[in-house]
Every structure is written in structure tokens, then in C-alpha cells.
Amino acid sequence: DTEVTQTPKHLVMGMTNKKSLKCEQHMGHRAMYWYKQKAKKPPELMFVYSYEKLSINESVPSRFSPECPNSSLLNLHLHALQPEDSALYLCASSQTTGVGNTEAFFGQGTRLTVV
Amino acid sequence: ELKVEQNPLFLSMQEGKNYTIYCNYSTTSDRLYWYRQDPGKSLESLFVLLSNGAVKQEGRLMASLDTKARLSTLHITAAVHDLSATYFCAVPDFGNEKLTFGTGTRLTIIP
């Protein structure tokens, strides 16, 4: 099983809403990632979790709050978003970060629209 | 700061032709990844290149890595319509803690 599962696939939310994106993998990977991708642009890293601890935060605004409840799950909590936050949010996982890392597997993404 | 550049950014080619996409990166790395993305979809892993001189082939696609020149190529042989997509290279950064993606090459194959 080389699958990373993201839910929901599509999400429309108002600027005052609170919502969460979910990501799950059962490959035993110990590193998980959130990327944001705007239309016609490459993915940009938001957060890295390594062994369930936040290891990289790419200066992401606090309206995005990541959470890693266990080694298989990664959440992204959203609050008071702006229309410019509309994008495809991609979750990924890999065996580890650092030396020995080989390949990152990406989920299908959540298409987020903020209205 | 690691920069990863691809060229061309856009490529329109006829079926049956050959072409090469180039990926240059600015800092030392001994590995590089290629991904494919269809419109509105996620990233599909194509190749994992783990050392200098690595060459991998899958169907009509072949990727190579020259770590001394900090250059990777993705060669397309006898293109078919199904290969139309955006192709990204990605390089590990920050002690391999994360991937930095190239600018992407949008490939359109014309019948």
C-alpha cells in the first residue's frame, strides 16, 4: 500500500469558518508534509513533521495550524482564512527526513476555495 | 538558498518527436526526483535518481542526473498524447528535510 489519503477532496469555506484537512498513511512513514500549490505554480512547503514532531514551519501564517496526532495521521486546521489562501493543499509522506530519505508519496490533495 | 529551475517552462510538441526537459539546481545534492502532474490532480512519482550518473527509464521517458553539473534531464522519446502533463523536478534541501520543486514544464503533445 503506497497510498496517502486526503479528505475532503474539495472544500468551500467562508472567511469566518473553522475547518480541518485530514491526511492518513499506513506505510509506516515517519515524516509527513503539507504543501500548498497555487494554480500553474510548483508546490510550496508549509510544514514538515518528523517522528510526530514539527521540524519545519516555513513561516506560515497562524491561521494555518498543523497537528500530528500519531505517526499515521496529519491534520491541518484552518481558521479565518483569506480568499488568497484558495489553493490545492497536498499532503505527502516519506520514510524519514534526512539522510536515508528516498521518496515522498503525495496524496490526491484538497482543493480549497475561500469565499 | 536552493533554487531549482526548469526549461523550457512550456513545450508544445508533435506526436512522434523527441525532446528533453532540463532541470538545474543551485546547491550540492546527490539526489533528485521527477514528478508528473495532470491538471487538477496530485503529483505522481516518476523517477528517483540517487547518485551521480544515475539513469532510469520507464516507457518513453528517461531521466538522468549529473551531480557535478547540478543538472538533470528528462528525455521524451516518440511522444504520445498521453504524456501531456506538467513535469516537475524536485531537489532535497535543508539537510534532506524537505523538497524544493522546480518551476515546472507544461508539456502539450499535439496529434
Short mmCIF file of all heavy atoms in Angstrom, two decimals, chain B residues 4-65:
data_model
loop_
_atom_site.label_atom_id
_atom_site.label_comp_id
_atom_site.label_asym_id
_atom_site.label_seq_id
_atom_site.Cartn_x
_atom_site.Cartn_y
_atom_site.Cartn_z
N VAL B 4 15.81 25.94 -7.96
CA VAL B 4 15.66 24.85 -8.93
C VAL B 4 14.92 25.41 -10.13
O VAL B 4 13.79 25.89 -9.99
CB VAL B 4 14.88 23.66 -8.33
CG1 VAL B 4 14.85 22.50 -9.33
CG2 VAL B 4 15.50 23.22 -7.01
N GLU B 5 15.58 25.37 -11.27
CA GLU B 5 14.98 25.95 -12.47
C GLU B 5 14.83 24.90 -13.55
O GLU B 5 15.70 24.05 -13.74
CB GLU B 5 15.85 27.11 -12.99
CG GLU B 5 15.90 28.27 -12.03
CD GLU B 5 16.70 29.44 -12.58
OE1 GLU B 5 17.47 29.23 -13.54
OE2 GLU B 5 16.58 30.55 -12.04
N GLN B 6 13.72 24.97 -14.25
CA GLN B 6 13.49 24.06 -15.36
C GLN B 6 13.36 24.86 -16.64
O GLN B 6 12.88 26.00 -16.64
CB GLN B 6 12.18 23.26 -15.15
CG GLN B 6 12.25 22.26 -14.04
CD GLN B 6 10.94 21.53 -13.84
OE1 GLN B 6 10.45 21.46 -12.73
NE2 GLN B 6 10.38 20.95 -14.90
N ASN B 7 13.77 24.25 -17.72
CA ASN B 7 13.45 24.82 -19.02
C ASN B 7 13.28 23.72 -20.04
O ASN B 7 13.89 22.66 -19.93
CB ASN B 7 14.50 25.86 -19.43
CG ASN B 7 15.83 25.25 -19.77
OD1 ASN B 7 16.03 24.76 -20.88
ND2 ASN B 7 16.73 25.23 -18.82
N PRO B 8 12.35 23.95 -20.96
CA PRO B 8 11.52 25.16 -21.05
C PRO B 8 10.38 25.12 -20.03
O PRO B 8 10.12 24.10 -19.41
CB PRO B 8 10.96 25.07 -22.48
CG PRO B 8 10.85 23.59 -22.73
CD PRO B 8 12.04 22.97 -22.02
N LEU B 9 9.70 26.26 -19.87
CA LEU B 9 8.53 26.30 -18.99
C LEU B 9 7.32 25.73 -19.71
O LEU B 9 6.43 25.15 -19.08
CB LEU B 9 8.24 27.74 -18.56
CG LEU B 9 9.33 28.41 -17.71
CD1 LEU B 9 8.88 29.81 -17.30
CD2 LEU B 9 9.65 27.58 -16.48
N PHE B 10 7.26 25.95 -21.00
CA PHE B 10 6.16 25.44 -21.82
C PHE B 10 6.78 24.72 -23.02
O PHE B 10 7.73 25.20 -23.61
CB PHE B 10 5.26 26.57 -22.32
CG PHE B 10 4.63 27.37 -21.21
CD1 PHE B 10 5.22 28.53 -20.76
CD2 PHE B 10 3.45 26.94 -20.63
CE1 PHE B 10 4.65 29.26 -19.73
CE2 PHE B 10 2.86 27.67 -19.61
CZ PHE B 10 3.47 28.83 -19.16
N LEU B 11 6.17 23.60 -23.37
CA LEU B 11 6.68 22.84 -24.50
C LEU B 11 5.50 22.23 -25.24
O LEU B 11 4.72 21.47 -24.67
CB LEU B 11 7.62 21.73 -24.01
CG LEU B 11 8.20 20.78 -25.04
CD1 LEU B 11 8.92 21.54 -26.13
CD2 LEU B 11 9.13 19.79 -24.36
N SER B 12 5.39 22.59 -26.50
CA SER B 12 4.36 22.05 -27.35
C SER B 12 5.06 21.25 -28.44
O SER B 12 5.87 21.82 -29.17
CB SER B 12 3.51 23.17 -27.95
OG SER B 12 2.47 22.65 -28.73
N MET B 13 4.78 19.97 -28.51
CA MET B 13 5.50 19.16 -29.48
C MET B 13 4.55 18.18 -30.17
O MET B 13 3.49 17.84 -29.64
CB MET B 13 6.64 18.39 -28.82
CG MET B 13 6.27 17.58 -27.61
SD MET B 13 7.69 16.93 -26.70
CE MET B 13 8.35 15.73 -27.84
N GLN B 14 4.97 17.79 -31.34
CA GLN B 14 4.13 16.88 -32.13
C GLN B 14 4.34 15.44 -31.67
O GLN B 14 5.43 15.07 -31.19
CB GLN B 14 4.49 17.00 -33.61
CG GLN B 14 3.98 18.28 -34.25
CD GLN B 14 4.23 18.26 -35.75
OE1 GLN B 14 5.33 17.93 -36.18
NE2 GLN B 14 3.23 18.63 -36.51
N GLU B 15 3.31 14.65 -31.84
CA GLU B 15 3.45 13.22 -31.58
C GLU B 15 4.58 12.65 -32.42
O GLU B 15 4.79 13.06 -33.56
CB GLU B 15 2.14 12.49 -31.91
CG GLU B 15 1.11 12.59 -30.81
CD GLU B 15 -0.08 11.68 -31.05
OE1 GLU B 15 -0.42 11.44 -32.23
OE2 GLU B 15 -0.66 11.19 -30.06
N GLY B 16 5.30 11.73 -31.83
CA GLY B 16 6.37 11.04 -32.55
C GLY B 16 7.73 11.71 -32.45
O GLY B 16 8.74 11.10 -32.79
N LYS B 17 7.77 12.94 -31.94
CA LYS B 17 9.04 13.67 -31.84
C LYS B 17 9.72 13.38 -30.51
O LYS B 17 9.10 12.93 -29.55
CB LYS B 17 8.81 15.17 -31.98
CG LYS B 17 8.19 15.58 -33.31
CD LYS B 17 9.15 15.40 -34.44
CE LYS B 17 8.59 16.01 -35.73
NZ LYS B 17 9.48 15.77 -36.89
N ASN B 18 11.02 13.72 -30.47
CA ASN B 18 11.81 13.60 -29.25
C ASN B 18 12.11 14.97 -28.68
O ASN B 18 12.27 15.93 -29.45
CB ASN B 18 13.15 12.90 -29.54
CG ASN B 18 12.96 11.55 -30.19
OD1 ASN B 18 11.94 10.89 -30.00
ND2 ASN B 18 13.94 11.14 -30.97
N TYR B 19 12.19 15.03 -27.35
CA TYR B 19 12.59 16.30 -26.74
C TYR B 19 13.13 16.06 -25.36
O TYR B 19 12.96 14.99 -24.79
CB TYR B 19 11.41 17.28 -26.70
CG TYR B 19 11.88 18.72 -26.78
CD1 TYR B 19 12.20 19.31 -27.99
CD2 TYR B 19 12.02 19.48 -25.63
CE1 TYR B 19 12.64 20.61 -28.06
CE2 TYR B 19 12.46 20.79 -25.70
CZ TYR B 19 12.77 21.35 -26.91
OH TYR B 19 13.22 22.64 -26.99
N THR B 20 13.81 17.10 -24.82
CA THR B 20 14.44 17.00 -23.50
C THR B 20 14.05 18.18 -22.64
O THR B 20 14.06 19.33 -23.10
CB THR B 20 15.97 16.93 -23.62
OG1 THR B 20 16.33 15.79 -24.40
CG2 THR B 20 16.61 16.82 -22.24
N ILE B 21 13.70 17.90 -21.40
CA ILE B 21 13.45 18.92 -20.38
C ILE B 21 14.66 18.96 -19.45
O ILE B 21 15.18 17.91 -19.06
CB ILE B 21 12.18 18.59 -19.57
CG1 ILE B 21 10.95 18.57 -20.49
CG2 ILE B 21 11.97 19.58 -18.44
CD1 ILE B 21 9.70 18.02 -19.83
N TYR B 22 15.09 20.18 -19.10
CA TYR B 22 16.28 20.35 -18.28
C TYR B 22 15.92 20.89 -16.90
O TYR B 22 15.03 21.73 -16.76
CB TYR B 22 17.25 21.32 -18.97
CG TYR B 22 17.75 20.82 -20.29
CD1 TYR B 22 17.05 21.08 -21.47
CD2 TYR B 22 18.92 20.07 -20.38
CE1 TYR B 22 17.49 20.61 -22.70
CE2 TYR B 22 19.37 19.59 -21.61
CZ TYR B 22 18.64 19.87 -22.75
OH TYR B 22 19.09 19.38 -23.96
N CYS B 23 16.65 20.41 -15.92
CA CYS B 23 16.45 20.85 -14.53
C CYS B 23 17.82 21.20 -13.94
O CYS B 23 18.68 20.33 -13.82
CB CYS B 23 15.79 19.74 -13.73
SG CYS B 23 15.67 20.07 -11.95
N ASN B 24 18.01 22.48 -13.62
CA ASN B 24 19.25 22.93 -12.99
C ASN B 24 18.98 23.32 -11.55
O ASN B 24 17.94 23.91 -11.25
CB ASN B 24 19.78 24.18 -13.73
CG ASN B 24 20.27 23.86 -15.10
OD1 ASN B 24 19.52 23.93 -16.07
ND2 ASN B 24 21.53 23.52 -15.21
N TYR B 25 19.94 23.01 -10.68
CA TYR B 25 19.76 23.41 -9.29
C TYR B 25 21.05 24.04 -8.76
O TYR B 25 22.13 23.80 -9.29
CB TYR B 25 19.32 22.22 -8.42
CG TYR B 25 20.17 20.99 -8.52
CD1 TYR B 25 21.15 20.72 -7.58
CD2 TYR B 25 19.99 20.07 -9.56
CE1 TYR B 25 21.93 19.57 -7.65
CE2 TYR B 25 20.77 18.93 -9.64
CZ TYR B 25 21.73 18.68 -8.69
OH TYR B 25 22.50 17.56 -8.77
N SER B 26 20.90 24.85 -7.72
CA SER B 26 21.98 25.78 -7.36
C SER B 26 22.93 25.31 -6.27
O SER B 26 24.00 25.89 -6.09
CB SER B 26 21.38 27.13 -6.94
OG SER B 26 20.56 26.96 -5.81
N THR B 27 22.54 24.29 -5.49
CA THR B 27 23.43 23.83 -4.42
C THR B 27 23.66 22.33 -4.55
O THR B 27 22.93 21.65 -5.26
CB THR B 27 22.87 24.13 -3.03
OG1 THR B 27 21.64 23.43 -2.85
CG2 THR B 27 22.61 25.62 -2.85
N THR B 28 24.66 21.83 -3.85
CA THR B 28 25.04 20.43 -3.97
C THR B 28 23.92 19.50 -3.51
O THR B 28 23.32 19.72 -2.46
CB THR B 28 26.29 20.15 -3.11
OG1 THR B 28 27.33 21.02 -3.55
CG2 THR B 28 26.72 18.71 -3.26
N SER B 29 23.61 18.51 -4.31
CA SER B 29 22.68 17.47 -3.91
C SER B 29 23.04 16.19 -4.66
O SER B 29 23.38 16.25 -5.84
CB SER B 29 21.24 17.85 -4.23
OG SER B 29 20.36 16.79 -3.87
N ASP B 30 22.95 15.06 -3.98
CA ASP B 30 23.29 13.80 -4.64
C ASP B 30 22.06 13.04 -5.09
O ASP B 30 22.16 11.88 -5.50
CB ASP B 30 24.14 12.92 -3.72
CG ASP B 30 23.39 12.52 -2.46
OD1 ASP B 30 22.26 12.99 -2.26
OD2 ASP B 30 23.94 11.73 -1.67
N ARG B 31 20.89 13.69 -5.03
CA ARG B 31 19.68 13.01 -5.47
C ARG B 31 18.67 13.99 -6.02
O ARG B 31 18.72 15.20 -5.72
CB ARG B 31 19.06 12.20 -4.33
CG ARG B 31 18.64 13.01 -3.13
CD ARG B 31 18.30 12.12 -1.96
NE ARG B 31 19.45 11.36 -1.49
CZ ARG B 31 19.37 10.34 -0.67
NH1 ARG B 31 18.20 9.92 -0.25
NH2 ARG B 31 20.46 9.70 -0.28
N LEU B 32 17.77 13.47 -6.85
CA LEU B 32 16.78 14.33 -7.48
C LEU B 32 15.58 13.48 -7.86
O LEU B 32 15.72 12.28 -8.15
CB LEU B 32 17.39 14.99 -8.73
CG LEU B 32 16.55 16.03 -9.48
CD1 LEU B 32 17.41 17.21 -9.92
CD2 LEU B 32 15.82 15.42 -10.64
N TYR B 33 14.41 14.10 -7.86
CA TYR B 33 13.16 13.39 -8.14
C TYR B 33 12.43 14.07 -9.29
O TYR B 33 12.48 15.29 -9.42
CB TYR B 33 12.26 13.38 -6.90
CG TYR B 33 12.96 12.89 -5.66
CD1 TYR B 33 13.60 13.78 -4.81
CD2 TYR B 33 12.97 11.54 -5.33
CE1 TYR B 33 14.25 13.34 -3.67
CE2 TYR B 33 13.61 11.09 -4.20
CZ TYR B 33 14.25 11.99 -3.37
OH TYR B 33 14.90 11.55 -2.24
N TRP B 34 11.75 13.26 -10.09
CA TRP B 34 10.86 13.78 -11.12
C TRP B 34 9.43 13.35 -10.81
O TRP B 34 9.18 12.19 -10.47
CB TRP B 34 11.25 13.26 -12.50
CG TRP B 34 12.45 13.95 -13.09
CD1 TRP B 34 13.74 13.54 -13.06
CD2 TRP B 34 12.44 15.18 -13.81
NE1 TRP B 34 14.55 14.44 -13.71
CE2 TRP B 34 13.77 15.45 -14.18
CE3 TRP B 34 11.45 16.09 -14.19
CZ2 TRP B 34 14.14 16.59 -14.90
CZ3 TRP B 34 11.82 17.22 -14.91
CH2 TRP B 34 13.15 17.46 -15.26
N TYR B 35 8.50 14.33 -10.98
CA TYR B 35 7.09 14.07 -10.76
C TYR B 35 6.31 14.52 -11.98
O TYR B 35 6.70 15.45 -12.69
CB TYR B 35 6.57 14.84 -9.55
CG TYR B 35 7.06 14.33 -8.22
CD1 TYR B 35 8.25 14.81 -7.67
CD2 TYR B 35 6.34 13.38 -7.51
CE1 TYR B 35 8.69 14.35 -6.44
CE2 TYR B 35 6.78 12.91 -6.28
CZ TYR B 35 7.96 13.40 -5.75
OH TYR B 35 8.39 12.93 -4.54
N ARG B 36 5.15 13.89 -12.16
CA ARG B 36 4.20 14.30 -13.19
C ARG B 36 2.92 14.76 -12.50
O ARG B 36 2.49 14.17 -11.51
CB ARG B 36 3.89 13.11 -14.10
CG ARG B 36 2.69 13.33 -15.03
CD ARG B 36 2.35 12.14 -15.85
NE ARG B 36 1.09 12.34 -16.54
CZ ARG B 36 0.82 11.88 -17.75
NH1 ARG B 36 1.73 11.15 -18.42
NH2 ARG B 36 -0.35 12.11 -18.30
N GLN B 37 2.31 15.81 -13.06
CA GLN B 37 1.04 16.29 -12.53
C GLN B 37 0.08 16.55 -13.68
O GLN B 37 0.36 17.37 -14.56
CB GLN B 37 1.22 17.55 -11.69
CG GLN B 37 -0.05 17.97 -10.97
CD GLN B 37 0.17 19.14 -10.02
OE1 GLN B 37 0.94 20.05 -10.31
NE2 GLN B 37 -0.49 19.10 -8.87
N ASP B 38 -1.07 15.87 -13.65
CA ASP B 38 -2.14 16.15 -14.60
C ASP B 38 -2.99 17.29 -14.05
O ASP B 38 -3.04 17.49 -12.83
CB ASP B 38 -2.98 14.90 -14.84
CG ASP B 38 -2.18 13.84 -15.58
OD1 ASP B 38 -1.73 14.14 -16.71
OD2 ASP B 38 -1.97 12.74 -15.04
N PRO B 39 -3.68 18.04 -14.92
CA PRO B 39 -4.45 19.21 -14.46
C PRO B 39 -5.42 18.86 -13.33
O PRO B 39 -6.20 17.91 -13.45
CB PRO B 39 -5.20 19.64 -15.73
CG PRO B 39 -4.34 19.16 -16.85
CD PRO B 39 -3.74 17.87 -16.39
N GLY B 40 -5.37 19.62 -12.26
CA GLY B 40 -6.26 19.43 -11.12
C GLY B 40 -5.97 18.20 -10.28
O GLY B 40 -6.74 17.89 -9.36
N LYS B 41 -4.89 17.50 -10.59
CA LYS B 41 -4.58 16.27 -9.87
C LYS B 41 -3.33 16.44 -9.01
O LYS B 41 -2.70 17.49 -9.00
CB LYS B 41 -4.34 15.13 -10.88
CG LYS B 41 -5.49 14.89 -11.83
CD LYS B 41 -6.68 14.31 -11.12
CE LYS B 41 -7.77 13.94 -12.12
NZ LYS B 41 -8.99 13.44 -11.44
N SER B 42 -3.00 15.36 -8.31
CA SER B 42 -1.83 15.39 -7.44
C SER B 42 -0.57 15.03 -8.21
O SER B 42 -0.57 14.91 -9.43
CB SER B 42 -2.04 14.42 -6.28
OG SER B 42 -1.00 14.56 -5.35
N LEU B 43 0.50 14.84 -7.46
CA LEU B 43 1.81 14.55 -8.06
C LEU B 43 2.05 13.05 -8.08
O LEU B 43 1.92 12.37 -7.08
CB LEU B 43 2.91 15.23 -7.23
CG LEU B 43 2.87 16.74 -7.23
CD1 LEU B 43 3.67 17.29 -6.07
CD2 LEU B 43 3.45 17.27 -8.54
N GLU B 44 2.46 12.58 -9.24
CA GLU B 44 2.79 11.17 -9.42
C GLU B 44 4.30 11.03 -9.53
O GLU B 44 4.93 11.69 -10.36
CB GLU B 44 2.12 10.63 -10.68
CG GLU B 44 2.49 9.21 -11.05
CD GLU B 44 2.02 8.82 -12.43
OE1 GLU B 44 1.28 9.62 -13.06
OE2 GLU B 44 2.38 7.73 -12.90
N SER B 45 4.89 10.19 -8.71
CA SER B 45 6.33 10.00 -8.76
C SER B 45 6.72 9.25 -10.03
O SER B 45 6.15 8.21 -10.35
CB SER B 45 6.78 9.20 -7.53
OG SER B 45 8.17 8.96 -7.58
N LEU B 46 7.69 9.81 -10.77
CA LEU B 46 8.18 9.16 -11.99
C LEU B 46 9.52 8.48 -11.76
O LEU B 46 9.70 7.31 -12.08
CB LEU B 46 8.33 10.20 -13.10
CG LEU B 46 7.06 10.82 -13.66
CD1 LEU B 46 7.43 11.89 -14.70
CD2 LEU B 46 6.15 9.78 -14.27
N PHE B 47 10.49 9.25 -11.28
CA PHE B 47 11.84 8.73 -11.14
C PHE B 47 12.47 9.23 -9.84
O PHE B 47 12.25 10.36 -9.43
CB PHE B 47 12.74 9.18 -12.30
CG PHE B 47 12.30 8.68 -13.64
CD1 PHE B 47 11.74 9.55 -14.57
CD2 PHE B 47 12.44 7.35 -13.99
CE1 PHE B 47 11.33 9.10 -15.81
CE2 PHE B 47 12.03 6.88 -15.23
CZ PHE B 47 11.47 7.77 -16.13
N VAL B 48 13.27 8.35 -9.25
CA VAL B 48 14.09 8.70 -8.10
C VAL B 48 15.54 8.47 -8.53
O VAL B 48 15.93 7.34 -8.84
CB VAL B 48 13.75 7.82 -6.88
CG1 VAL B 48 14.66 8.16 -5.72
CG2 VAL B 48 12.29 7.98 -6.50
N LEU B 49 16.33 9.53 -8.59
CA LEU B 49 17.73 9.46 -9.02
C LEU B 49 18.59 9.68 -7.80
O LEU B 49 18.55 10.76 -7.19
CB LEU B 49 18.00 10.51 -10.10
CG LEU B 49 17.09 10.42 -11.34
CD1 LEU B 49 17.27 11.63 -12.23
CD2 LEU B 49 17.40 9.14 -12.11
N LEU B 50 19.37 8.67 -7.43
CA LEU B 50 20.02 8.69 -6.12
C LEU B 50 21.54 8.87 -6.17
O LEU B 50 22.17 8.85 -5.11
CB LEU B 50 19.70 7.40 -5.37
CG LEU B 50 18.22 7.22 -5.00
CD1 LEU B 50 18.01 5.87 -4.31
CD2 LEU B 50 17.76 8.34 -4.10
N SER B 51 22.12 9.01 -7.34
CA SER B 51 23.57 9.19 -7.36
C SER B 51 23.99 9.83 -8.67
O SER B 51 23.24 9.84 -9.66
CB SER B 51 24.27 7.85 -7.20
OG SER B 51 23.94 6.99 -8.26
N ASN B 52 25.23 10.32 -8.69
CA ASN B 52 25.77 10.90 -9.91
C ASN B 52 25.82 9.85 -11.01
O ASN B 52 26.25 8.73 -10.78
CB ASN B 52 27.17 11.45 -9.66
CG ASN B 52 27.72 12.19 -10.86
OD1 ASN B 52 26.98 12.90 -11.53
ND2 ASN B 52 28.99 12.00 -11.15
N GLY B 53 25.37 10.23 -12.20
CA GLY B 53 25.39 9.31 -13.32
C GLY B 53 24.18 8.40 -13.39
O GLY B 53 24.07 7.58 -14.30
N ALA B 54 23.25 8.53 -12.42
CA ALA B 54 22.06 7.66 -12.43
C ALA B 54 21.24 7.92 -13.68
O ALA B 54 21.06 9.06 -14.10
CB ALA B 54 21.23 7.91 -11.18
N VAL B 55 20.77 6.83 -14.27
CA VAL B 55 19.90 6.90 -15.43
C VAL B 55 18.76 5.91 -15.20
O VAL B 55 19.00 4.76 -14.84
CB VAL B 55 20.62 6.53 -16.74
CG1 VAL B 55 19.64 6.56 -17.92
CG2 VAL B 55 21.78 7.49 -17.00
N LYS B 56 17.54 6.38 -15.40
CA LYS B 56 16.38 5.49 -15.26
C LYS B 56 15.45 5.70 -16.44
O LYS B 56 15.29 6.82 -16.93
CB LYS B 56 15.66 5.76 -13.94
CG LYS B 56 16.46 5.32 -12.73
CD LYS B 56 15.57 5.11 -11.54
CE LYS B 56 16.37 4.52 -10.40
NZ LYS B 56 15.57 4.38 -9.18
N GLN B 57 14.81 4.60 -16.86
CA GLN B 57 13.91 4.67 -18.00
C GLN B 57 12.61 3.96 -17.66
O GLN B 57 12.59 2.93 -17.00
CB GLN B 57 14.54 4.02 -19.23
CG GLN B 57 13.67 4.11 -20.47
CD GLN B 57 14.43 3.89 -21.76
OE1 GLN B 57 15.62 3.55 -21.73
NE2 GLN B 57 13.79 4.08 -22.87
N GLU B 58 11.52 4.58 -18.12
CA GLU B 58 10.20 3.98 -17.97
C GLU B 58 9.40 4.34 -19.22
O GLU B 58 9.04 5.50 -19.42
CB GLU B 58 9.50 4.51 -16.72
CG GLU B 58 8.11 3.94 -16.49
CD GLU B 58 8.14 2.52 -15.97
OE1 GLU B 58 9.08 2.15 -15.26
OE2 GLU B 58 7.22 1.76 -16.32
N GLY B 59 9.19 3.35 -20.07
CA GLY B 59 8.44 3.62 -21.29
C GLY B 59 9.18 4.62 -22.17
O GLY B 59 10.34 4.45 -22.50
N ARG B 60 8.51 5.70 -22.53
CA ARG B 60 9.08 6.71 -23.42
C ARG B 60 9.84 7.80 -22.67
O ARG B 60 10.28 8.78 -23.27
CB ARG B 60 7.96 7.36 -24.23
CG ARG B 60 7.20 6.36 -25.08
CD ARG B 60 5.99 7.00 -25.76
NE ARG B 60 5.17 6.00 -26.42
CZ ARG B 60 5.39 5.54 -27.65
NH1 ARG B 60 6.39 6.04 -28.36
NH2 ARG B 60 4.60 4.62 -28.16
N LEU B 61 9.98 7.67 -21.38
CA LEU B 61 10.68 8.67 -20.56
C LEU B 61 11.98 8.10 -20.02
O LEU B 61 12.01 6.95 -19.57
CB LEU B 61 9.80 9.11 -19.39
CG LEU B 61 8.45 9.74 -19.72
CD1 LEU B 61 7.69 10.06 -18.44
CD2 LEU B 61 8.62 10.99 -20.56
N MET B 62 13.02 8.94 -20.07
CA MET B 62 14.30 8.57 -19.49
C MET B 62 14.86 9.76 -18.75
O MET B 62 14.90 10.87 -19.28
CB MET B 62 15.29 8.12 -20.56
CG MET B 62 16.62 7.65 -20.00
SD MET B 62 17.68 6.93 -21.25
CE MET B 62 18.14 8.38 -22.18
N ALA B 63 15.29 9.54 -17.50
CA ALA B 63 15.84 10.61 -16.68
C ALA B 63 17.27 10.29 -16.32
O ALA B 63 17.64 9.14 -16.11
CB ALA B 63 15.01 10.78 -15.41
N SER B 64 18.08 11.37 -16.21
CA SER B 64 19.48 11.21 -15.83
C SER B 64 19.87 12.31 -14.87
O SER B 64 19.20 13.35 -14.78
CB SER B 64 20.38 11.25 -17.07
OG SER B 64 20.34 12.53 -17.66
N LEU B 65 20.97 12.07 -14.14
CA LEU B 65 21.42 13.03 -13.15
C LEU B 65 22.93 13.20 -13.25
O LEU B 65 23.69 12.22 -13.22
CB LEU B 65 21.05 12.56 -11.74
CG LEU B 65 21.51 13.44 -10.58
CD1 LEU B 65 20.90 14.82 -10.66
CD2 LEU B 65 21.17 12.77 -9.24
#
